[in-house]
Amino acid sequence: MKKLFKIIGIYLCLIVMSECWSPQHYLISDIEFNGATVSERKNEREYNRFTQTNILKNDLVFIITYKTLFNASLDLGLSAKCYAFKRGRVNDNSLLENTYSLKFDHPFKYKNVTINANQNLFEIDKIKSQIEIYDGLYTDKIFEFSQKFKSESLFTSDDYEVTFNCSTSDNRNFEKKIIVKIEN
């Protein structure tokens, strides 16, 4: 009988330990899209802090935050009792960079060339090369236009409706629109 309790105890311990180390799985179900400014710049760009704003003055930055849903899995509730370990977090789907589309509803000038309204900026090589796309620690995805782009662009004083489109690896499509004012 003691041997049976030892075997059951070892088995339960293994279940708890394996659950503690296995990551929790999530799915990106929606996104938030916002204009932002860099509030604190760090040596490593991933650690930059951003403040959401609809007036883009010094920086031309857009941020994406994922809304995720827990992807159900077998969990006996025993792993919650194991406080010494931190479980990882994994998104089972991802945004596909080749599906990104960023459009302004008013024209603007870049290097004295007029960029038409509703033109996908990611399809213009000279502009795409001026956009850094990276993951952040405090937000999920960052689109940061270079200061060179900002200085060589001339925006009107109108409010711009910015439309962002993308798809995920599991065929979810998102379209988000925001209104921003871009100051030269």
Side-chain angles (χ1 to χ4, degrees), residues 37-53:
T37 187
V38 179
S39 59
E40 187 178 347
R41 195 169 290 280
K42 303 284 188 172
N43 290 337
E44 296 180 34
R45 66 182 185 189
E46 294 81 16
Y47 296 105
N48 289 345
R49 288 187 181 261
F50 299 92
T51 303
Q52 290 182 14
T53 183

Side-chain angles (χ1 to χ4, degrees), residues 27-70:
L27 287 174
I28 299 171
S29 61
D30 200 4
I31 61 170
E32 285 183 19
F33 177 67
N34 293 293
T37 187
V38 179
S39 59
E40 187 178 347
R41 195 169 290 280
K42 303 284 188 172
N43 290 337
E44 296 180 34
R45 66 182 185 189
E46 294 81 16
Y47 296 105
N48 289 345
R49 288 187 181 261
F50 299 92
T51 303
Q52 290 182 14
T53 183
N54 58 354
I55 300 174
L56 304 175
K57 187 175 185 176
N58 299 326
D59 306 304
L60 190 53
V61 178
F62 297 100
I63 58 174
I64 294 176
T65 307
Y66 303 150
K67 292 183 180 179
T68 56
L69 293 174
F70 181 68

Side-chain angles (χ1 to χ4, degrees), residues 57-179:
K57 187 175 185 176
N58 299 326
D59 306 304
L60 190 53
V61 178
F62 297 100
I63 58 174
I64 294 176
T65 307
Y66 303 150
K67 292 183 180 179
T68 56
L69 293 174
F70 181 68
N71 197 3
S73 65
L74 176 63
D75 187 359
L76 302 175
L78 300 172
S79 61
K81 305 294 187 247
C82 188
Y83 300 109
F85 301 101
K86 182 176 178 182
R87 296 182 77 165
R89 180 182 173 108
V90 173
N91 287 330
D92 289 335
N93 60 351
S94 60
L95 298 184
L96 300 174
E97 195 167 318
N98 64 340
T99 65
Y100 292 168
S101 171
L102 187 67
K103 299 176 183 177
F104 295 162
D105 72 333
H106 294 300
F108 67 93
K109 288 193 179 230
Y110 176 63
K111 292 186 174 182
N112 294 323
V113 175
T114 300
I115 306 300
N116 296 324
N118 297 315
Q119 192 169 356
N120 183 1
L121 299 182
F122 288 110
E123 291 178 348
I124 305 170
D125 290 332
K126 289 181 181 179
I127 293 177
K128 184 179 179 182
S129 66
Q130 298 295 316
I131 305 171
E132 265 191 276
I133 303 170
Y134 58 95
D135 297 329
L137 182 64
Y138 304 106
T139 187
D140 293 309
K141 196 63 79 176
I142 297 121
F143 301 107
E144 185 173 358
F145 288 76
S146 70
Q147 287 300 320
K148 181 181 175 188
F149 173 84
K150 182 86 166 76
S151 66
E152 294 176 343
S153 298
L154 182 63
F155 295 93
T156 63
S157 60
D158 297 331
D159 287 345
Y160 283 82
E161 181 180 68
V162 181
T163 305
F164 176 74
N165 292 296
C166 68
S167 299
T168 62
S169 55
D170 62 345
N171 297 321
R172 295 172 194 238
N173 298 310
F174 304 120
E175 178 176 293
K176 299 297 176 180
K177 295 182 180 194
I178 59 171
I179 304 292

